[in-house]
Amino acid sequence: MIIRETHIVPKGIHAIRLQDYAYQVFQSIPTKKGMKKAIKRGEMRVNGQVAGTGHWVQAGQCIDLLDLEQHPPKAYPLDLEILYQDDYLAIIYKPAGIVVSGNQYRTIQNALVHNFSPSPLVDALKWVRPVHRLDAPTKGLLVVAKTVSALSTLGQLFAQRKVQKYYHAVVIGKLPSSSGRFTQAIDGLTAFTDYEVLEVMPSIKNQFLSLVQLSPHTGRTHQLRIHLAQAGCPILGDSLYGQEGMILKGKGLFLAAVRLKFRHPITQQNLDISIETPRKFGVFMKREARNHSEHKA
């Protein structure tokens, strides 16, 4: 039995059942349906006791998400780009269009089995596991654990918001200022996202397109996509929260996790791993600006 993630319920949380709360705060199971199945499998403990789906969450409770799996998943033959690795953890590049984990065969979890051998350390996991999540259409950096201790401590770092995450996105329109913070609650839970505008270009169809950097300070489901949509600047290609008639078809979501900063939970080394903004972001914006210029001429 392995503790995958631990969460302490903060003050102000009340009148919500475990199955409705847990999927919003645990990184590794991002859907209500998936969390309900995990609870029914007995993978959730509240203050050390097995909890059911109908358990009422209360402030101060310690909730543990356990890993009871004994057999490795079937390897999915997708070669992943590895940006950093040691015997404890690795940071990979997750392609767009593939879920991190779930009941499907085509997942990052199954691809990890194809790409990594178990760690040589004594507390090695039987197979490498994702520590957090990225939405299926989002590309970019993902942390995975190779040992039990790394899985547990990394989970705590993410839960305590000690991992700095940076995303780049192309959004429709112009934000109200060059930098700021979104503070709108999501599903009744606090949510904070810092933003910085990196570039703005004109567009015939959208008036403007903006390249922005985003840094979430909470981990709500679809937080970045919701906050930008609420601000009137949905992410380009967002089929869930975008504006009707303004959705790009076949181009994907213009959102990428481009940088991670945190202290290695075992070696205490300061890790700062980053990738370039996806090339298609700049190519699309420049093409829109060129078309706008030619149209005006």
Side-chain angles (χ1 to χ4, degrees), residues 58-101:
Q58 299 178 30
Q61 289 179 329
C62 177
I63 307 176
D64 293 322
L65 176 61
L66 307 181
D67 189 341
L68 304 178
E69 286 191 78
Q70 298 298 319
H71 303 290
K74 184 179 179 182
Y76 176 63
L78 171 68
D79 292 332
L80 297 170
E81 182 181 357
I82 302 170
L83 283 302
Y84 170 87
Q85 72 168 319
D86 55 32
D87 288 341
Y88 304 96
L89 60 89
I91 298 174
I92 66 162
Y93 180 85
K94 172 199 169 299
I98 181 169
V99 297
V100 172
S101 58

mmCIF file of all heavy atoms in Angstrom, residues 58-101:
data_model
loop_
_atom_site.group_PDB
_atom_site.id
_atom_site.type_symbol
_atom_site.label_atom_id
_atom_site.label_comp_id
_atom_site.label_asym_id
_atom_site.label_seq_id
_atom_site.Cartn_x
_atom_site.Cartn_y
_atom_site.Cartn_z
ATOM 1 N N GLN A 58 -14.793 17.630 6.378
ATOM 2 C CA GLN A 58 -14.754 18.665 7.408
ATOM 3 C C GLN A 58 -13.361 19.277 7.477
ATOM 4 O O GLN A 58 -12.358 18.610 7.228
ATOM 5 C CB GLN A 58 -15.109 18.086 8.777
ATOM 6 C CG GLN A 58 -16.509 17.490 8.877
ATOM 7 C CD GLN A 58 -16.781 16.903 10.241
ATOM 8 O OE1 GLN A 58 -16.236 17.366 11.240
ATOM 9 N NE2 GLN A 58 -17.606 15.867 10.287
ATOM 10 N N ALA A 59 -13.304 20.556 7.836
ATOM 11 C CA ALA A 59 -12.030 21.251 7.958
ATOM 12 C C ALA A 59 -11.127 20.536 8.963
ATOM 13 O O ALA A 59 -11.585 20.068 10.002
ATOM 14 C CB ALA A 59 -12.257 22.696 8.393
ATOM 15 N N GLY A 60 -9.851 20.442 8.619
ATOM 16 C CA GLY A 60 -8.883 19.830 9.517
ATOM 17 C C GLY A 60 -8.660 18.354 9.288
ATOM 18 O O GLY A 60 -7.702 17.782 9.816
ATOM 19 N N GLN A 61 -9.514 17.706 8.511
ATOM 20 C CA GLN A 61 -9.350 16.271 8.256
ATOM 21 C C GLN A 61 -8.136 16.024 7.354
ATOM 22 O O GLN A 61 -7.820 16.830 6.480
ATOM 23 C CB GLN A 61 -10.600 15.694 7.588
ATOM 24 C CG GLN A 61 -11.805 15.589 8.506
ATOM 25 C CD GLN A 61 -13.028 15.034 7.788
ATOM 26 O OE1 GLN A 61 -13.214 15.242 6.599
ATOM 27 N NE2 GLN A 61 -13.868 14.339 8.537
ATOM 28 N N CYS A 62 -7.473 14.911 7.586
ATOM 29 C CA CYS A 62 -6.346 14.486 6.754
ATOM 30 C C CYS A 62 -6.849 13.399 5.802
ATOM 31 O O CYS A 62 -7.300 12.338 6.245
ATOM 32 C CB CYS A 62 -5.208 13.950 7.613
ATOM 33 S SG CYS A 62 -3.808 13.319 6.652
ATOM 34 N N ILE A 63 -6.798 13.669 4.515
ATOM 35 C CA ILE A 63 -7.284 12.723 3.508
ATOM 36 C C ILE A 63 -6.091 12.157 2.750
ATOM 37 O O ILE A 63 -5.280 12.906 2.199
ATOM 38 C CB ILE A 63 -8.251 13.398 2.516
ATOM 39 C CG1 ILE A 63 -9.381 14.124 3.261
ATOM 40 C CG2 ILE A 63 -8.839 12.369 1.563
ATOM 41 C CD1 ILE A 63 -10.320 14.890 2.347
ATOM 42 N N ASP A 64 -5.974 10.841 2.722
ATOM 43 C CA ASP A 64 -4.913 10.162 1.987
ATOM 44 C C ASP A 64 -5.506 9.428 0.797
ATOM 45 O O ASP A 64 -6.519 8.726 0.925
ATOM 46 C CB ASP A 64 -4.191 9.140 2.875
ATOM 47 C CG ASP A 64 -3.398 9.802 3.994
ATOM 48 O OD1 ASP A 64 -2.799 10.857 3.748
ATOM 49 O OD2 ASP A 64 -3.400 9.252 5.111
ATOM 50 N N LEU A 65 -4.879 9.581 -0.362
ATOM 51 C CA LEU A 65 -5.230 8.806 -1.549
ATOM 52 C C LEU A 65 -4.185 7.710 -1.681
ATOM 53 O O LEU A 65 -2.992 7.990 -1.827
ATOM 54 C CB LEU A 65 -5.239 9.689 -2.795
ATOM 55 C CG LEU A 65 -5.508 8.986 -4.128
ATOM 56 C CD1 LEU A 65 -6.872 8.321 -4.134
ATOM 57 C CD2 LEU A 65 -5.379 9.969 -5.289
ATOM 58 N N LEU A 66 -4.625 6.458 -1.602
ATOM 59 C CA LEU A 66 -3.709 5.324 -1.608
ATOM 60 C C LEU A 66 -3.591 4.708 -2.998
ATOM 61 O O LEU A 66 -4.451 4.905 -3.860
ATOM 62 C CB LEU A 66 -4.192 4.256 -0.621
ATOM 63 C CG LEU A 66 -4.472 4.708 0.811
ATOM 64 C CD1 LEU A 66 -4.908 3.522 1.652
ATOM 65 C CD2 LEU A 66 -3.249 5.375 1.422
ATOM 66 N N ASP A 67 -2.533 3.954 -3.159
ATOM 67 C CA ASP A 67 -2.324 3.181 -4.379
ATOM 68 C C ASP A 67 -2.345 1.705 -3.989
ATOM 69 O O ASP A 67 -1.439 1.227 -3.312
ATOM 70 C CB ASP A 67 -0.984 3.550 -5.010
ATOM 71 C CG ASP A 67 -0.816 2.947 -6.396
ATOM 72 O OD1 ASP A 67 -1.543 1.990 -6.713
ATOM 73 O OD2 ASP A 67 0.037 3.427 -7.151
ATOM 74 N N LEU A 68 -3.381 0.994 -4.410
ATOM 75 C CA LEU A 68 -3.534 -0.412 -4.054
ATOM 76 C C LEU A 68 -3.228 -1.344 -5.222
ATOM 77 O O LEU A 68 -3.342 -2.555 -5.084
ATOM 78 C CB LEU A 68 -4.966 -0.668 -3.557
ATOM 79 C CG LEU A 68 -5.432 0.198 -2.374
ATOM 80 C CD1 LEU A 68 -6.880 -0.127 -2.038
ATOM 81 C CD2 LEU A 68 -4.536 0.017 -1.169
ATOM 82 N N GLU A 69 -2.854 -0.771 -6.369
ATOM 83 C CA GLU A 69 -2.595 -1.606 -7.555
ATOM 84 C C GLU A 69 -1.363 -2.491 -7.343
ATOM 85 O O GLU A 69 -0.362 -2.060 -6.784
ATOM 86 C CB GLU A 69 -2.375 -0.730 -8.783
ATOM 87 C CG GLU A 69 -3.644 -0.096 -9.324
ATOM 88 C CD GLU A 69 -3.392 0.536 -10.680
ATOM 89 O OE1 GLU A 69 -3.330 -0.206 -11.673
ATOM 90 O OE2 GLU A 69 -3.248 1.759 -10.734
ATOM 91 N N GLN A 70 -1.444 -3.716 -7.820
ATOM 92 C CA GLN A 70 -0.340 -4.662 -7.674
ATOM 93 C C GLN A 70 0.288 -5.051 -9.008
ATOM 94 O O GLN A 70 1.426 -5.471 -9.064
ATOM 95 C CB GLN A 70 -0.847 -5.930 -6.961
ATOM 96 C CG GLN A 70 -1.372 -5.678 -5.555
ATOM 97 C CD GLN A 70 -0.304 -5.124 -4.621
ATOM 98 O OE1 GLN A 70 0.839 -5.562 -4.653
ATOM 99 N NE2 GLN A 70 -0.680 -4.148 -3.815
ATOM 100 N N HIS A 71 -0.466 -4.916 -10.102
ATOM 101 C CA HIS A 71 0.019 -5.369 -11.401
ATOM 102 C C HIS A 71 0.273 -4.162 -12.305
ATOM 103 O O HIS A 71 -0.553 -3.256 -12.396
ATOM 104 C CB HIS A 71 -0.996 -6.307 -12.056
ATOM 105 C CG HIS A 71 -1.330 -7.499 -11.209
ATOM 106 N ND1 HIS A 71 -0.436 -8.515 -10.984
ATOM 107 C CD2 HIS A 71 -2.455 -7.810 -10.507
ATOM 108 C CE1 HIS A 71 -0.995 -9.420 -10.186
ATOM 109 N NE2 HIS A 71 -2.215 -9.013 -9.886
ATOM 110 N N PRO A 72 1.413 -4.125 -12.978
ATOM 111 C CA PRO A 72 1.726 -2.983 -13.845
ATOM 112 C C PRO A 72 0.764 -2.903 -15.017
ATOM 113 O O PRO A 72 0.269 -3.922 -15.512
ATOM 114 C CB PRO A 72 3.156 -3.282 -14.318
ATOM 115 C CG PRO A 72 3.301 -4.761 -14.185
ATOM 116 C CD PRO A 72 2.471 -5.149 -12.991
ATOM 117 N N PRO A 73 0.478 -1.675 -15.476
ATOM 118 C CA PRO A 73 -0.385 -1.531 -16.651
ATOM 119 C C PRO A 73 0.326 -2.018 -17.906
ATOM 120 O O PRO A 73 1.555 -2.168 -17.932
ATOM 121 C CB PRO A 73 -0.638 -0.013 -16.705
ATOM 122 C CG PRO A 73 0.524 0.585 -15.989
ATOM 123 C CD PRO A 73 0.910 -0.388 -14.925
ATOM 124 N N LYS A 74 -0.444 -2.262 -18.939
ATOM 125 C CA LYS A 74 0.120 -2.712 -20.218
ATOM 126 C C LYS A 74 0.845 -1.547 -20.879
ATOM 127 O O LYS A 74 0.306 -0.450 -21.010
ATOM 128 C CB LYS A 74 -0.989 -3.226 -21.129
ATOM 129 C CG LYS A 74 -0.494 -3.796 -22.445
ATOM 130 C CD LYS A 74 -1.657 -4.311 -23.286
ATOM 131 C CE LYS A 74 -1.159 -4.872 -24.621
ATOM 132 N NZ LYS A 74 -2.299 -5.341 -25.456
ATOM 133 N N ALA A 75 2.091 -1.787 -21.290
ATOM 134 C CA ALA A 75 2.913 -0.724 -21.870
ATOM 135 C C ALA A 75 2.321 -0.224 -23.187
ATOM 136 O O ALA A 75 1.944 -1.015 -24.050
ATOM 137 C CB ALA A 75 4.338 -1.219 -22.086
ATOM 138 N N TYR A 76 2.243 1.092 -23.318
ATOM 139 C CA TYR A 76 1.804 1.719 -24.568
ATOM 140 C C TYR A 76 3.048 2.225 -25.301
ATOM 141 O O TYR A 76 3.812 3.028 -24.751
ATOM 142 C CB TYR A 76 0.840 2.864 -24.280
ATOM 143 C CG TYR A 76 0.410 3.633 -25.504
ATOM 144 C CD1 TYR A 76 -0.303 3.012 -26.520
ATOM 145 C CD2 TYR A 76 0.723 4.989 -25.647
ATOM 146 C CE1 TYR A 76 -0.692 3.707 -27.647
ATOM 147 C CE2 TYR A 76 0.337 5.690 -26.776
ATOM 148 C CZ TYR A 76 -0.366 5.047 -27.766
ATOM 149 O OH TYR A 76 -0.751 5.735 -28.899
ATOM 150 N N PRO A 77 3.311 1.791 -26.519
ATOM 151 C CA PRO A 77 4.571 2.084 -27.210
ATOM 152 C C PRO A 77 4.663 3.500 -27.778
ATOM 153 O O PRO A 77 4.728 3.702 -28.993
ATOM 154 C CB PRO A 77 4.606 1.031 -28.322
ATOM 155 C CG PRO A 77 3.165 0.785 -28.638
ATOM 156 C CD PRO A 77 2.441 0.883 -27.311
ATOM 157 N N LEU A 78 4.688 4.468 -26.895
ATOM 158 C CA LEU A 78 4.866 5.867 -27.285
ATOM 159 C C LEU A 78 6.182 6.347 -26.686
ATOM 160 O O LEU A 78 6.359 6.345 -25.468
ATOM 161 C CB LEU A 78 3.704 6.716 -26.753
ATOM 162 C CG LEU A 78 3.860 8.230 -26.903
ATOM 163 C CD1 LEU A 78 3.812 8.629 -28.380
ATOM 164 C CD2 LEU A 78 2.769 8.974 -26.117
ATOM 165 N N ASP A 79 7.116 6.754 -27.536
ATOM 166 C CA ASP A 79 8.402 7.251 -27.052
ATOM 167 C C ASP A 79 8.237 8.679 -26.534
ATOM 168 O O ASP A 79 7.811 9.572 -27.276
ATOM 169 C CB ASP A 79 9.440 7.225 -28.178
ATOM 170 C CG ASP A 79 9.799 5.805 -28.596
ATOM 171 O OD1 ASP A 79 9.709 4.899 -27.744
ATOM 172 O OD2 ASP A 79 10.148 5.607 -29.781
ATOM 173 N N LEU A 80 8.582 8.885 -25.278
ATOM 174 C CA LEU A 80 8.419 10.183 -24.634
ATOM 175 C C LEU A 80 9.754 10.920 -24.573
ATOM 176 O O LEU A 80 10.807 10.317 -24.380
ATOM 177 C CB LEU A 80 7.877 10.012 -23.218
ATOM 178 C CG LEU A 80 6.489 9.382 -23.092
ATOM 179 C CD1 LEU A 80 6.191 9.053 -21.632
ATOM 180 C CD2 LEU A 80 5.415 10.308 -23.652
ATOM 181 N N GLU A 81 9.692 12.227 -24.689
ATOM 182 C CA GLU A 81 10.887 13.048 -24.514
ATOM 183 C C GLU A 81 11.126 13.250 -23.022
ATOM 184 O O GLU A 81 10.225 13.672 -22.286
ATOM 185 C CB GLU A 81 10.714 14.398 -25.208
ATOM 186 C CG GLU A 81 11.939 15.292 -25.102
ATOM 187 C CD GLU A 81 11.756 16.636 -25.780
ATOM 188 O OE1 GLU A 81 10.686 16.856 -26.382
ATOM 189 O OE2 GLU A 81 12.688 17.467 -25.699
ATOM 190 N N ILE A 82 12.336 12.945 -22.566
ATOM 191 C CA ILE A 82 12.685 13.055 -21.145
ATOM 192 C C ILE A 82 13.607 14.266 -20.973
ATOM 193 O O ILE A 82 14.714 14.305 -21.515
ATOM 194 C CB ILE A 82 13.375 11.774 -20.641
ATOM 195 C CG1 ILE A 82 12.453 10.566 -20.854
ATOM 196 C CG2 ILE A 82 13.749 11.905 -19.161
ATOM 197 C CD1 ILE A 82 13.131 9.228 -20.612
ATOM 198 N N LEU A 83 13.146 15.265 -20.214
ATOM 199 C CA LEU A 83 13.916 16.496 -20.033
ATOM 200 C C LEU A 83 14.879 16.396 -18.851
ATOM 201 O O LEU A 83 15.918 17.070 -18.833
ATOM 202 C CB LEU A 83 12.963 17.678 -19.795
ATOM 203 C CG LEU A 83 12.219 18.296 -20.990
ATOM 204 C CD1 LEU A 83 13.198 18.778 -22.040
ATOM 205 C CD2 LEU A 83 11.199 17.360 -21.572
ATOM 206 N N TYR A 84 14.524 15.585 -17.861
ATOM 207 C CA TYR A 84 15.375 15.416 -16.674
ATOM 208 C C TYR A 84 15.021 14.084 -16.042
ATOM 209 O O TYR A 84 13.850 13.684 -16.031
ATOM 210 C CB TYR A 84 15.124 16.538 -15.657
ATOM 211 C CG TYR A 84 15.801 16.281 -14.322
ATOM 212 C CD1 TYR A 84 17.114 16.671 -14.103
ATOM 213 C CD2 TYR A 84 15.131 15.607 -13.295
ATOM 214 C CE1 TYR A 84 17.746 16.406 -12.897
ATOM 215 C CE2 TYR A 84 15.762 15.338 -12.091
ATOM 216 C CZ TYR A 84 17.068 15.739 -11.897
ATOM 217 O OH TYR A 84 17.699 15.461 -10.707
ATOM 218 N N GLN A 85 16.046 13.405 -15.487
ATOM 219 C CA GLN A 85 15.750 12.221 -14.699
ATOM 220 C C GLN A 85 16.918 11.869 -13.786
ATOM 221 O O GLN A 85 18.077 12.182 -14.074
ATOM 222 C CB GLN A 85 15.371 11.033 -15.568
ATOM 223 C CG GLN A 85 16.483 10.389 -16.358
ATOM 224 C CD GLN A 85 16.053 9.048 -16.942
ATOM 225 O OE1 GLN A 85 15.369 8.245 -16.281
ATOM 226 N NE2 GLN A 85 16.416 8.791 -18.196
ATOM 227 N N ASP A 86 16.596 11.242 -12.661
ATOM 228 C CA ASP A 86 17.566 10.630 -11.767
ATOM 229 C C ASP A 86 16.904 9.361 -11.240
ATOM 230 O O ASP A 86 15.917 8.890 -11.808
ATOM 231 C CB ASP A 86 18.012 11.595 -10.653
ATOM 232 C CG ASP A 86 16.839 12.157 -9.842
ATOM 233 O OD1 ASP A 86 15.820 11.441 -9.673
ATOM 234 O OD2 ASP A 86 16.926 13.304 -9.379
ATOM 235 N N ASP A 87 17.428 8.788 -10.173
ATOM 236 C CA ASP A 87 16.863 7.535 -9.656
ATOM 237 C C ASP A 87 15.554 7.733 -8.916
ATOM 238 O O ASP A 87 14.870 6.756 -8.578
ATOM 239 C CB ASP A 87 17.869 6.841 -8.727
ATOM 240 C CG ASP A 87 19.042 6.239 -9.475
ATOM 241 O OD1 ASP A 87 18.913 6.025 -10.703
ATOM 242 O OD2 ASP A 87 20.092 5.993 -8.847
ATOM 243 N N TYR A 88 15.179 9.003 -8.652
ATOM 244 C CA TYR A 88 13.991 9.288 -7.844
ATOM 245 C C TYR A 88 12.801 9.760 -8.685
ATOM 246 O O TYR A 88 11.653 9.419 -8.396
ATOM 247 C CB TYR A 88 14.302 10.357 -6.797
ATOM 248 C CG TYR A 88 15.445 10.019 -5.891
ATOM 249 C CD1 TYR A 88 16.734 10.497 -6.150
ATOM 250 C CD2 TYR A 88 15.259 9.220 -4.770
ATOM 251 C CE1 TYR A 88 17.800 10.191 -5.313
ATOM 252 C CE2 TYR A 88 16.316 8.908 -3.924
ATOM 253 C CZ TYR A 88 17.581 9.393 -4.211
ATOM 254 O OH TYR A 88 18.624 9.077 -3.390
ATOM 255 N N LEU A 89 13.091 10.569 -9.686
ATOM 256 C CA LEU A 89 12.007 11.190 -10.440
ATOM 257 C C LEU A 89 12.474 11.517 -11.844
ATOM 258 O O LEU A 89 13.660 11.427 -12.173
ATOM 259 C CB LEU A 89 11.503 12.446 -9.719
ATOM 260 C CG LEU A 89 12.517 13.585 -9.491
ATOM 261 C CD1 LEU A 89 12.549 14.557 -10.657
ATOM 262 C CD2 LEU A 89 12.158 14.349 -8.225
ATOM 263 N N ALA A 90 11.531 11.922 -12.653
ATOM 264 C CA ALA A 90 11.842 12.375 -14.006
ATOM 265 C C ALA A 90 10.847 13.459 -14.400
ATOM 266 O O ALA A 90 9.755 13.572 -13.816
ATOM 267 C CB ALA A 90 11.792 11.219 -15.002
ATOM 268 N N ILE A 91 11.231 14.262 -15.375
ATOM 269 C CA ILE A 91 10.331 15.266 -15.944
ATOM 270 C C ILE A 91 10.272 14.997 -17.443
ATOM 271 O O ILE A 91 11.305 14.972 -18.127
ATOM 272 C CB ILE A 91 10.818 16.695 -15.657
ATOM 273 C CG1 ILE A 91 10.859 16.939 -14.139
ATOM 274 C CG2 ILE A 91 9.895 17.709 -16.337
ATOM 275 C CD1 ILE A 91 11.455 18.275 -13.754
ATOM 276 N N ILE A 92 9.075 14.770 -17.934
ATOM 277 C CA ILE A 92 8.889 14.412 -19.340
ATOM 278 C C ILE A 92 8.078 15.481 -20.070
ATOM 279 O O ILE A 92 7.473 16.363 -19.441
ATOM 280 C CB ILE A 92 8.164 13.058 -19.483
ATOM 281 C CG1 ILE A 92 6.724 13.172 -18.950
ATOM 282 C CG2 ILE A 92 8.920 11.957 -18.767
ATOM 283 C CD1 ILE A 92 5.795 12.070 -19.410
ATOM 284 N N TYR A 93 8.084 15.385 -21.383
ATOM 285 C CA TYR A 93 7.233 16.236 -22.208
ATOM 286 C C TYR A 93 5.991 15.431 -22.584
ATOM 287 O O TYR A 93 6.091 14.391 -23.234
ATOM 288 C CB TYR A 93 7.964 16.670 -23.469
ATOM 289 C CG TYR A 93 7.141 17.567 -24.372
ATOM 290 C CD1 TYR A 93 7.095 18.944 -24.158
ATOM 291 C CD2 TYR A 93 6.405 17.030 -25.422
ATOM 292 C CE1 TYR A 93 6.336 19.764 -24.983
ATOM 293 C CE2 TYR A 93 5.644 17.848 -26.248
ATOM 294 C CZ TYR A 93 5.618 19.208 -26.024
ATOM 295 O OH TYR A 93 4.855 20.014 -26.833
ATOM 296 N N LYS A 94 4.833 15.915 -22.155
ATOM 297 C CA LYS A 94 3.568 15.251 -22.489
ATOM 298 C C LYS A 94 3.016 15.837 -23.797
ATOM 299 O O LYS A 94 2.780 17.040 -23.883
ATOM 300 C CB LYS A 94 2.547 15.462 -21.375
ATOM 301 C CG LYS A 94 1.144 14.959 -21.727
ATOM 302 C CD LYS A 94 0.108 15.583 -20.827
ATOM 303 C CE LYS A 94 -1.312 15.326 -21.314
ATOM 304 N NZ LYS A 94 -1.616 15.865 -22.657
ATOM 305 N N PRO A 95 2.794 14.998 -24.804
ATOM 306 C CA PRO A 95 2.189 15.504 -26.042
ATOM 307 C C PRO A 95 0.719 15.879 -25.811
ATOM 308 O O PRO A 95 0.067 15.391 -24.892
ATOM 309 C CB PRO A 95 2.300 14.313 -27.000
ATOM 310 C CG PRO A 95 3.221 13.334 -26.346
ATOM 311 C CD PRO A 95 3.109 13.566 -24.877
ATOM 312 N N ALA A 96 0.214 16.740 -26.666
ATOM 313 C CA ALA A 96 -1.206 17.087 -26.620
ATOM 314 C C ALA A 96 -2.046 15.912 -27.117
ATOM 315 O O ALA A 96 -1.579 15.080 -27.892
ATOM 316 C CB ALA A 96 -1.471 18.321 -27.473
ATOM 317 N N GLY A 97 -3.279 15.830 -26.630
ATOM 318 C CA GLY A 97 -4.215 14.845 -27.151
ATOM 319 C C GLY A 97 -4.172 13.490 -26.485
ATOM 320 O O GLY A 97 -4.794 12.543 -26.977
ATOM 321 N N ILE A 98 -3.471 13.364 -25.368
ATOM 322 C CA ILE A 98 -3.400 12.081 -24.674
ATOM 323 C C ILE A 98 -3.589 12.331 -23.177
ATOM 324 O O ILE A 98 -3.010 13.259 -22.613
ATOM 325 C CB ILE A 98 -2.070 11.359 -24.962
ATOM 326 C CG1 ILE A 98 -2.005 10.011 -24.248
ATOM 327 C CG2 ILE A 98 -0.872 12.218 -24.594
ATOM 328 C CD1 ILE A 98 -0.841 9.140 -24.701
ATOM 329 N N VAL A 99 -4.431 11.519 -22.538
ATOM 330 C CA VAL A 99 -4.704 11.704 -21.115
ATOM 331 C C VAL A 99 -3.538 11.174 -20.295
ATOM 332 O O VAL A 99 -2.782 10.308 -20.738
ATOM 333 C CB VAL A 99 -6.009 10.994 -20.685
ATOM 334 C CG1 VAL A 99 -7.205 11.582 -21.411
ATOM 335 C CG2 VAL A 99 -5.929 9.483 -20.929
ATOM 336 N N VAL A 100 -3.382 11.712 -19.079
ATOM 337 C CA VAL A 100 -2.288 11.274 -18.214
ATOM 338 C C VAL A 100 -2.549 9.869 -17.688
ATOM 339 O O VAL A 100 -1.664 9.011 -17.679
ATOM 340 C CB VAL A 100 -2.080 12.270 -17.056
ATOM 341 C CG1 VAL A 100 -1.075 11.725 -16.040
ATOM 342 C CG2 VAL A 100 -1.585 13.609 -17.605
ATOM 343 N N SER A 101 -3.772 9.622 -17.222
ATOM 344 C CA SER A 101 -4.106 8.294 -16.702
ATOM 345 C C SER A 101 -5.598 8.062 -16.871
ATOM 346 O O SER A 101 -6.346 8.970 -17.208
ATOM 347 C CB SER A 101 -3.715 8.175 -15.221
ATOM 348 O OG SER A 101 -4.376 9.168 -14.458
#
